[in-house]
Amino acid sequence: PSKEYEVKRRGIYKGVQELWYFVNQELEKLKKKGPELISTDLSNLIQEVISSGKEHEAVILNDVQDLSSMEGHDSWRAAEARSLSDLVQRRFHYLQNPADCSKARKLICNLNKSCGYGCQIHHTAYCFIVAYATKRTMILNSKKWRYHRGGWEKVFLPVSETCTDPSGLDRSNWPGTHETQVVELPIVDMLSPRPPYLPLAIPLDLSERMIRLHGDPQVWWIGQFMKYLLRYQPETQTMLDEAKENMNFRRPIVGVHVRRTDKVGTEAAFHSIDEYMFHVADYFNKLDMKQKVEVRRVYLASDDPSVIPEAKKKYPNYEFLGDVSIAKGAAVATRYTDSSLRGILIDIHMLAHSDHLVCTFSSQVCRLAYEIMQTLHPDASHKFKSLDDIYYYGGQGPHQQVAIYPHKSARPGEISFELGDVLGIAGNHWDGFSKGVNERTKQAGLYPSFKAIDKYHIVDLPSYSEVSS
Ligand code: GDP
């Protein structure tokens, strides 16, 4: 399939979802108008329309998915995903394993950011992105890492086999010059000047292939850095394999992450278990129309130990995997008094290996699981439901969209734009509307999500000609 075909096919899938978000939300609003405006009969009728509308949506989405695997497209996609990922991984390997470490240009990354596991992995990946773009070997300083006192290499394979010595002829803080042998990178929040290739940027030389292959090339690119960084040590792999076996992890399975404790009220809103389960049910209902689902299995991860028993009690028709003891450890870990590494490794691994994710993208735990998920499928960009944010990367550059249809503000709070206008997107309200600002008119507000698509930030990065393509 051509790039245009793939982009169009995925556009239809998203379009149907957005159409249903919109219609569903408007009907729900109508239903709630109260007896003085809406009679009980009418309210019941609206409910019926919602129910069968949902089935219509499910059938079309299933059909579009079936379409994606016809005519041998699935095998093309699998081969292309492998080939593209192999190329990128070989570049990383080349970058990280210079023949002569004493002469190599280096980037020092300190794994001492005071934040949670997801945040620290994202910090490391950000360093690695800068290393790739500047063609510097990343030296990861992980001594006394809060999640493992023994350092990164106790959990993951070393980021380099040949070059771990941070020394060099001269050393400078960011940015240094091209000639500076050793440059030390600050955390992204302190980075100045900011280079153009920070997420969600994608590399020019691979962009055509990435856009053809993947529904969100921006997250695919991040996933590749995770794929290299998070190569487990054999002991870590064994621990995860055993955990998976013991909990009887089987497909189909939906991964749910409920982030509570210190996050609620500060960086995110509270969401009840029912809100998550609504979307889990939605996933299984859709699947049920294609194949008989014998067991509705859910991997449930949370930092709130009360969530698992509550879910089990309220949803007896589901099988919940997930460990209350992990959740208890997690609740402690969020206060950074302890570093329950095993628990967070298991939770993120199982979430990433689930068929679908339901979570809040405001949490780095779930965004990391989503990123890793992309390395396990040719295109898993649609395999999620976030209750709050759209995908983002901490410290990212502006996330823009471009209008593919003009829009005239129809209601208060809406913005207008012309075809081709660039919009800064702040979020999707999952009700047919996104929020953003028209960069031409400076008008900020809501707009119909289907009228704009992501404008990728494509940057010219080294193309590693030393590595055969
Ligand atoms: P964020 O704060 O949710 O954006 O993500 P971070 O990973 O930066 O920090 C949250 C920390 O809380 C994690 O690293 C874990 O230590 C802990 N945590 C949060 N949710 C979970 C969970 O579902 N399972 C486990 N095991 N730990 C969690």
Side-chain angles (χ1 to χ4, degrees), residues 109-112 117 120-121 124 140-159 229 231-233 235-236 339 341 345:
C109 183
N110 294 308
L111 191 50
N112 59 359
Y117 176 85
Q120 299 194 358
I121 300 298
T124 312
L140 186 62
N141 174 15
S142 66
K143 274 197 241 67
K144 302 215 188 98
W145 182 28
R146 116 178 327 151
Y147 276 89
H148 198 305
R149 293 281 136 190
W152 179 268
E153 297 76 24
K154 295 281 184 220
V155 186
F156 303 108
L157 296 183
V159 297
L229 288 176
R231 292 163 303 148
Y232 299 128
Q233 284 286 6
E235 301 87 277
T236 314
S339 55
L341 177 71
L345 279 172

Side-chain angles (χ1 to χ4, degrees), residues 38-307:
I38 303 272
S39 69
T40 314
D41 277 358
L42 191 50
S43 174
N44 290 340
L45 180 65
I46 293 171
Q47 187 49 52
E48 276 169 38
V49 175
I50 292 176
S51 303
S52 42
K54 214 171 178 49
E55 275 195 315
H56 278 282
E57 187 223 12
V59 168
I60 303 175
L61 290 182
N62 283 341
D63 281 351
V64 179
Q65 264 192 315
D66 288 349
L67 188 72
S68 76
S69 50
M70 289 175 176
E71 316 263 323
H73 290 178
D74 249 2
S75 41
W76 168 79
R77 215 171 283 117
E80 172 64 359
R82 211 175 309 117
S83 147
L84 193 55
S85 173
D86 281 355
L87 173 61
V88 173
Q89 296 301 314
R90 276 185 284 119
R91 289 181 181 185
F92 292 164
H93 185 267
Y94 167 82
L95 174 70
Q96 285 304 108
N97 294 283
D100 185 353
C101 185
S102 70
K103 295 212 177 69
R105 294 164 64 249
K106 304 171 186 180
L107 186 78
I108 309 286
C109 183
N110 294 308
L111 191 50
N112 59 359
K113 197 169 178 177
S114 49
C115 55
Y117 176 85
C119 166
Q120 299 194 358
I121 300 298
H122 281 124
H123 169 65
T124 312
Y126 139 77
C127 292
F128 199 19
I129 290 167
V130 175
Y132 178 89
T134 55
K135 269 192 134 175
R136 289 177 174 278
T137 301
M138 178 175 78
I139 311 282
L140 186 62
N141 174 15
S142 66
K143 274 197 241 67
K144 302 215 188 98
W145 182 28
R146 116 178 327 151
Y147 276 89
H148 198 305
R149 293 281 136 190
W152 179 268
E153 297 76 24
K154 295 281 184 220
V155 186
F156 303 108
L157 296 183
V159 297
S160 172
E161 288 146 32
T162 65
C163 192
T164 51
D165 178 1
S167 65
L169 286 177
D170 55 340
R171 185 182 178 107
S172 149
N173 287 330
W174 175 261
T177 68
H178 180 83
E179 280 68 39
T180 315
Q181 194 184 354
V182 183
V183 169
E184 188 155 340
L185 194 69
I187 59 172
V188 70
D189 321 60
M190 313 284 258
L191 188 69
S192 170
R194 284 170 55 92
Y197 45 74
L198 296 176
L200 305 170
I202 59 171
L204 174 64
D205 67 321
L206 304 174
S207 61
E208 287 287 303
R209 288 179 73 181
M210 287 163 64
I211 294 168
R212 183 180 176 205
L213 174 70
H214 201 273
D216 190 345
Q218 307 162 124
V219 65
W220 183 88
W221 183 234
I222 303 294
Q224 288 304 306
F225 288 90
M226 296 305 179
K227 181 172 175 178
Y228 186 89
L229 288 176
L230 307 180
R231 292 163 303 148
Y232 299 128
Q233 284 286 6
E235 301 87 277
T236 314
Q237 185 71 56
T238 307
M239 184 276 285
L240 291 167
D241 291 346
E242 281 174 10
K244 203 169 181 180
E245 193 56 43
N246 290 342
M247 72 178 75
N248 202 19
F249 189 97
R250 296 276 183 279
R251 298 183 182 290
I253 186 163
V254 175
V256 175
H257 177 234
V258 179
R259 181 73 166 94
R260 297 259 175 90
T261 62
D262 62 322
K263 193 96 172 175
V264 173
T266 55
E267 293 176 356
F270 177 92
H271 295 279
S272 69
I273 189 69
D274 302 336
E275 287 177 72
Y276 295 87
M277 290 307 290
F278 176 85
H279 296 289
V280 174
D282 196 45
Y283 175 83
F284 282 119
N285 290 343
K286 278 195 184 95
L287 189 61
D288 227 0
M289 299 182 85
K290 285 217 279 210
Q291 66 186 69
K292 181 85 200 93
V293 178
E294 300 291 347
V295 182
R296 294 187 162 209
R297 228 174 265 108
V298 173
Y299 185 84
L300 183 51
S302 180
D303 55 335
D304 178 349
S306 75
V307 165

